[in-house]
């Protein structure tokens, strides 16, 4: 008998590196891993930028915020060309020439990316520095220059040198966007640029036609106005976002992320659905400091996917849960996403008010996910999974201080401090508290790493915010916003003249447009475009500014879970190994309430209660009714009524109708929705009676 072949040893699975994996699925593309002198230069530059941002909080530059923004962009844009590769497919000989090396037959296509910045990258960095600092150039140059005040005095009367330097900065920002986010956003910016330049050639009978702008006028709007490169989006990036990113890096290095995941596991370790609840709770807790959907998805997935697999969750269902929980990070106070800070600036309100508007929708969003987890556990026969975790009380006693800085932000905002000062003081508190844990104490070298990491994390969003000025300035100069709003409202009015129907149809069209827009560009840019184009349509129909802004914000965020791109779902599938398309559809099912809740607070005045506006009675009524609607929709989507049994197709259809009716927060629709919800419940009870005492539960699943 022939001897059997010895078993082949399989390699152990490669451990997941959350930070590396997350970078592949963020809005921005992954940057270079720099070493040697270039890494030292980058670290030193990021430290200077971080210290400048901190200095501006307590000792603002006397010349004003725009003066500060010029220096901030001058620090960030050159670093983009050093930290992010060109990532272009070039001929082999040209790649070698660009890299500054001799041509070799076996040159790897990625050699430019692997060996740090090329000569062209350094040249672009120097050009970016010159283009950014030109407005403050203290000497006269070819009729231009002459200092900051002289540059401002030429607004509307730019000389040739001004136009040349503004054009240079325009091209460099487009290239910076391409390197950090891909081709789509630069293409969108070029479309707006083309509209500004050629719009005067359109037939004047068209609603979107305008008088026309020459190239000098466009550059003046971009380079020397408050709505261009140095407009509100860049102001937000250079004041709020950079400080909150530094705060997040400090918390991460102090061990807060691991603590939040461990606390979630400890809180639910005795529950039948411990695995799913742990994933959802981890997403919420990490989201309070992350503000990033894909990064949170990967972070919680790396820890909780083995638990979910042990409990019997299919890879696609688990991936959908992780992605939906991770995207909630952008919707969760107190950090939210970058666009939330832009809301505060656009509406002229405090950041604390924006946090208040987000509280109830966040609760309802996670309520929908938790209910879906409970339904899935019963419908799919998920097994209880034993979690190896300490007592939640022991963890809180040992490491609960990580919550202190989060509470400090809210408390400092409540007593009237600005968001910038609040987050700086909270960061200092987090640094001091880190010394309670010997493993994660922020010694000077680790503090430098946190500050550098925080500033590097804002490079891409800064370039996006500066490039968004192309869109806002063009829209302002041409009057495109009101014209597009009129077209959107006109399309809805063509269907019905009833004001309530027109508002509902406009909101629906706006939701579709924002979802499609967000598929291709980052959340921040999607919000800016949505606000200047779609925001006016909602405002014209009587929607309050807070409701319109939060509506645009939510649908800009939800692009991360919307097929066919769904970055968070792609990241989750990479963690679980599940099939991509089913993972996307499961993500969509888990996140369903987030798509419907914004419609609720736009189409009815009572819906403002969901934003905490309108007094206790309105807030409680809107929250309770919408919570019931979310619960009914979760049953309709999941096909199971917890505590009763499976729901058939008729019950699920009735439940979907009930949930949609309950989201229309008016007495008659609410009454109809409540009746339909009761009919659905009775139908499930009747179905269970016909199926027998087990209610059709699968073997091994809990009742």
């Amino acid at each position: 008998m022939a001897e059997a072949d010895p078993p082949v040893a399989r390699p152990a699975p490669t451990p997941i590196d959350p930070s590396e994996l997350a970078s592949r699925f963020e809005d921005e593309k992954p940057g270079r891993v720099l070493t040697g002198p270039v890494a030292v230069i980058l670290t030193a530059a990021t430290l200077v930028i971080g210290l400048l941002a901190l200095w501006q909080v307590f000792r603002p530059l006397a010349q004003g915020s725009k003066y500060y923004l010029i220096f901030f962009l001058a620090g960030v844009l050159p670093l983009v060309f050093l930290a992010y590769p060109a990532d272009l497919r070039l001929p082999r000989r040209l790649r070698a020439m660009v890299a500054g090396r001799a041509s070799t037959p076996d040159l790897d296509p990625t050699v430019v990316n692997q060996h740090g910045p090329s000569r062209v990258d350094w040249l672009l960095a120097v050009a970016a520095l010159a283009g950014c600092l030109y407005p403050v150039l203290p000497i006269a140059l070819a009729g231009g220059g002459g200092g900051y005040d002289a540059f401002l005095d030429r607004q509307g009367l730019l000389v040739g040198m001004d136009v040349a330097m503004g054009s240079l900065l325009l091209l460099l920002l487009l290239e910076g966007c391409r390197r950090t986010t891909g081709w789509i956003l630069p293409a969108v910016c070029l479309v707006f640029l083309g509209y500004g330049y050629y719009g005067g050639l359109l037939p004047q009978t068209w609603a979107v036609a305008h008088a026309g702008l020459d190239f000098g006028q466009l550059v003046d709007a971009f380079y020397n106005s408050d709505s261009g490169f140095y407009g509100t989006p860049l102001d937000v990036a250079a004041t709020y976002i950079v400080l909150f990113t530094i705060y997040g890096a400090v918390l991460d290095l102090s061990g807060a992320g691991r603590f939040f995941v461990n606390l979630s596991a400890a809180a639910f370790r005795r529950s039948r659905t411990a695995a799913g609840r742990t994933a959802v709770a981890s997403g919420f807790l990490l989201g309070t400091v992350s503000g990033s959907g894909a990064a949170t998805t990967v972070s919680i997935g790396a820890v909780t996917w083995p638990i979910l697999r042990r409990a019997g969750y299919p890879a696609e269902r688990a991936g959908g849960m992780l992605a939906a929980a991770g995207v909630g990070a952008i919707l969760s106070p107190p950090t939210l996403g970058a666009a939330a800070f832009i809301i505060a600036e656009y509406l002229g309100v405090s950041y604390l008010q924006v946090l208040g508007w987000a509280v109830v929708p966040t609760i309802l969003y996670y309520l929908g996910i938790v209910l879906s987890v409970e339904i899935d556990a019963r419908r799919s026969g998920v097994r209880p999974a034993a979690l190896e975790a300490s007592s939640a009380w022991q963890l809180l006693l040992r490491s609960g201080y990580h919550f202190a800085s989060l509470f400090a932000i809210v408390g400092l905002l409540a007593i009237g401090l600005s968001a910038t000062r609040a987050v700086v003081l909270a960061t200092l508190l987090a640094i001091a508290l880190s010394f309670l844990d010997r493993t994660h104490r922020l010694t000077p070298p680790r503090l430098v790493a946190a500050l550098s990491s925080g500033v590097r994390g804002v490079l891409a969003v800064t370039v996006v915010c500066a490039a968004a000025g192309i869109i806002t300035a063009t829209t302002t100069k041409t009057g495109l916003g009101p014209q597009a709003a009129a077209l959107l409202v006109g399309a809805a009015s063509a269907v019905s003249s009833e004001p309530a129907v027109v508002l509902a149809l406009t909101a629906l069209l706006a939701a579709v447009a924002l979802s499609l827009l967000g598929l291709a560009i980052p959340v921040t840019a999607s919000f800016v475009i949505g606000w200047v184009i779609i925001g006016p349509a909602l405002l014209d129909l009587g929607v309050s500014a807070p409701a319109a802004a939060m509506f645009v914000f939510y649908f800009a965020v939800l692009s991360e879970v919307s097929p066919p791109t769904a970055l968070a779902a792609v990241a989750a599938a990479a963690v679980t190994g599940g099939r991509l398309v089913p993972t996307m559809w499961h993500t969509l099912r888990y996140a369903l309430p987030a798509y419907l809740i914004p419609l609720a607070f736009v189409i009815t005045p009572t819906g403002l209660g969901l934003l905490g506006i309108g007094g206790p009675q309105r807030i409680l009524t809107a929250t309770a009714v919408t919570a019931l609607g979310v619960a009914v929709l979760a049953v309709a989507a999941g096909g199971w009524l917890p505590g009763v049994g499976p729901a058939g197709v008729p019950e699920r259809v009735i439940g979907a109708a009930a949930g949609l009716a309950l989201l229309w927060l008016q007495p008659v629709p609410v009454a109809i929705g409540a009746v339909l919800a009761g009919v659905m419940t009775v139908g499930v009870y009747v179905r269970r009676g016909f199926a027998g005492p087990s209610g059709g539960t699968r073997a091994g699943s809990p009742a």
Side-chain angles (χ1 to χ4, degrees):
M1 181 181 298
E3 293 185 2
D5 293 334
V8 178
R10 295 183 178 179
T14 305
I16 294 174
D17 180 357
S19 59
E20 188 279 331
L21 189 59
S23 68
R24 292 164 47 195
F25 302 105
E26 281 289 4
D27 285 335
E28 68 263 15
K29 297 159 73 175
R32 292 184 172 106
V33 178
L34 299 175
T35 58
V38 179
V40 174
I41 292 173
L42 186 71
T43 300
T46 53
L47 288 178
V48 171
I49 295 169
L51 293 174
L52 176 63
L54 293 170
W55 179 270
Q56 179 70 6
V57 173
F58 298 99
R59 293 287 187 273
L61 299 179
Q63 294 88 342
S65 61
K66 185 175 179 179
Y67 190 75
Y68 162 66
L69 295 180
I70 289 172
F71 283 98
F72 185 84
L73 186 61
V76 168
L77 186 57
L79 297 186
V80 169
F81 296 107
L82 303 182
Y84 290 85
D87 198 23
L88 291 171
R89 296 286 181 177
L90 301 175
R92 180 172 298 175
R93 186 176 298 275
L94 185 57
R95 283 202 306 269
M97 187 183 304
V98 168
R101 300 175 181 85
S103 177
T104 56
D106 57 348
L107 187 64
D108 186 270
T110 60
V111 70
V112 176
N113 297 352
Q114 291 175 346
H115 290 82
S118 67
R119 291 174 181 173
V120 170
D121 293 329
W122 285 105
L123 181 62
L124 291 176
V126 172
L129 187 64
C132 291
L133 291 180
Y134 171 78
V136 296
L137 182 69
I139 59 175
L141 181 66
Y148 180 59
D149 291 337
F151 180 75
L152 293 183
D153 290 341
R154 294 195 297 273
Q155 185 173 359
L157 300 169
L158 296 188
V159 298
M161 180 57 70
D162 298 333
V163 175
M165 298 304 289
S167 303
L168 174 66
L169 186 55
L170 169 65
L171 294 174
L172 291 171
L173 283 172
L174 292 175
E175 169 61 10
C177 280
R178 188 199 65 78
R179 290 188 180 216
T180 55
T181 67
W183 289 96
I184 301 298
L185 181 56
V188 172
C189 291
L190 288 174
V191 168
F192 275 84
L193 180 63
Y195 169 73
Y197 188 73
Y198 292 107
L201 303 178
L202 296 174
Q204 292 302 303
T205 55
W206 290 15
V208 294
H210 59 85
L213 299 169
D214 63 36
F215 190 71
Q217 290 175 304
L218 288 169
V219 172
D220 179 73
F222 301 153
Y223 201 32
N224 201 358
S225 77
D226 293 334
S227 61
F229 300 147
Y230 305 109
T232 298
L234 180 62
D235 190 18
V236 167
T239 52
Y240 298 101
I241 300 174
V242 65
L243 297 176
F244 274 84
T245 306
I246 292 171
Y247 169 65
V250 166
L251 270 187
D252 183 51
L253 281 180
S254 67
R258 172 62 62 176
F259 162 70
F260 290 147
V261 175
N262 290 341
L263 180 63
S264 301
F268 301 115
R269 60 187 177 135
R270 299 179 185 276
S271 167
R272 288 183 177 182
T273 54
R277 291 182 184 180
T278 298
V280 175
S282 299
F284 170 72
L285 291 175
L286 283 177
T288 59
V289 298
S290 170
S292 170
T296 305
T297 297
V298 172
S299 297
I300 62 176
V303 177
T304 60
W305 163 234
I307 304 171
L308 294 168
R309 181 172 51 201
R310 201 161 60 241
Y313 278 93
E316 293 79 14
R317 194 181 298 271
M321 182 193 307
L322 294 171
V327 167
I330 316 179
L331 307 174
S332 301
T335 54
L336 298 175
F341 300 101
I342 300 179
I343 291 175
E345 289 296 307
Y346 277 165
L347 301 188
V349 301
S350 70
Y351 183 61
L352 183 62
Q353 284 185 270
V354 180
L355 295 184
W357 298 339
V359 169
V360 174
T362 299
I363 293 172
L364 293 173
Y365 176 71
Y366 279 102
L367 171 66
I369 298 178
V370 169
L371 289 173
S372 297
V373 167
E374 300 296 324
I375 289 170
D376 282 352
R378 285 154 177 77
R379 184 183 182 188
S380 303
V382 171
R383 301 180 297 273
L387 304 184
E388 297 179 3
S390 305
S391 163
W393 292 111
Q394 290 178 354
L395 280 173
L396 283 172
L397 289 173
R398 186 168 66 247
S399 303
Y401 61 83
H402 287 299
F403 284 113
S405 61
L406 294 171
F407 294 142
I409 291 177
V410 178
L412 293 170
L413 289 173
I415 64 174
L417 256 68
S418 66
T420 52
R421 294 199 173 198
V423 72
V424 171
L425 294 177
T427 303
L428 295 175
L429 177 60
I431 293 170
L433 292 175
S434 72
F435 284 87
L436 296 176
D437 184 349
R438 182 171 308 217
T439 306
H440 295 98
R441 60 182 57 179
L442 291 174
T443 57
R446 301 185 78 239
L447 189 57
V448 168
L451 186 59
S452 177
S453 173
V455 173
R456 180 160 180 173
V458 84
L459 295 183
V461 72
T462 298
V463 176
V464 168
C465 287
I470 300 170
I471 298 165
T472 56
T474 303
T475 304
T476 302
K477 277 284 190 181
T478 60
L480 177 62
Q483 295 165 348
L487 288 175
L488 190 62
V489 174
S493 301
V495 177
S496 172
S497 59
E498 178 65 30
V501 177
V502 171
L503 176 56
L505 289 175
T506 302
L508 190 60
L509 291 173
V512 173
L514 287 167
S515 298
L516 293 175
L517 177 66
L519 295 178
I521 61 177
V523 170
T524 305
S526 178
F527 172 80
V528 171
I529 298 173
W531 178 248
V532 299
I533 300 297
I534 293 173
L538 298 175
L539 296 175
D540 289 346
L541 292 174
V543 177
S544 69
M550 294 300 284
F551 177 90
V552 176
F553 170 63
Y554 270 76
F555 278 102
V557 169
L558 290 173
S559 63
E560 290 216 6
V561 294
S562 301
T565 53
L567 291 177
V570 175
V575 173
T576 64
R579 293 169 297 163
L580 183 55
V581 173
T583 300
M584 287 183 179
W585 288 114
H586 280 295
T587 302
L588 193 62
R589 178 172 64 85
Y590 278 109
L592 180 63
Y595 286 88
L596 301 176
I597 291 171
L599 294 171
F601 59 66
V602 162
I603 60 179
T604 62
T606 309
L608 287 174
L610 297 175
L611 300 179
I613 299 173
Q617 183 176 356
R618 174 187 279 183
I619 295 171
L620 291 174
T621 300
T623 303
V625 173
T626 307
L628 177 60
V630 167
V632 173
L633 286 170
V635 172
W640 194 281
L641 182 62
V644 183
V649 173
E651 293 85 17
R652 297 174 73 173
V653 171
I654 294 172
L660 293 175
L662 288 167
L663 292 175
W664 195 295
L665 295 170
Q666 292 294 319
V668 174
V670 168
I672 293 173
V675 171
L676 290 176
V679 172
M680 180 199 72
T681 303
V682 171
V684 175
Y685 268 106
V686 171
R687 181 177 296 276
R688 177 183 179 180
F690 280 114
S694 66
T697 305
R698 295 185 184 184
S701 67

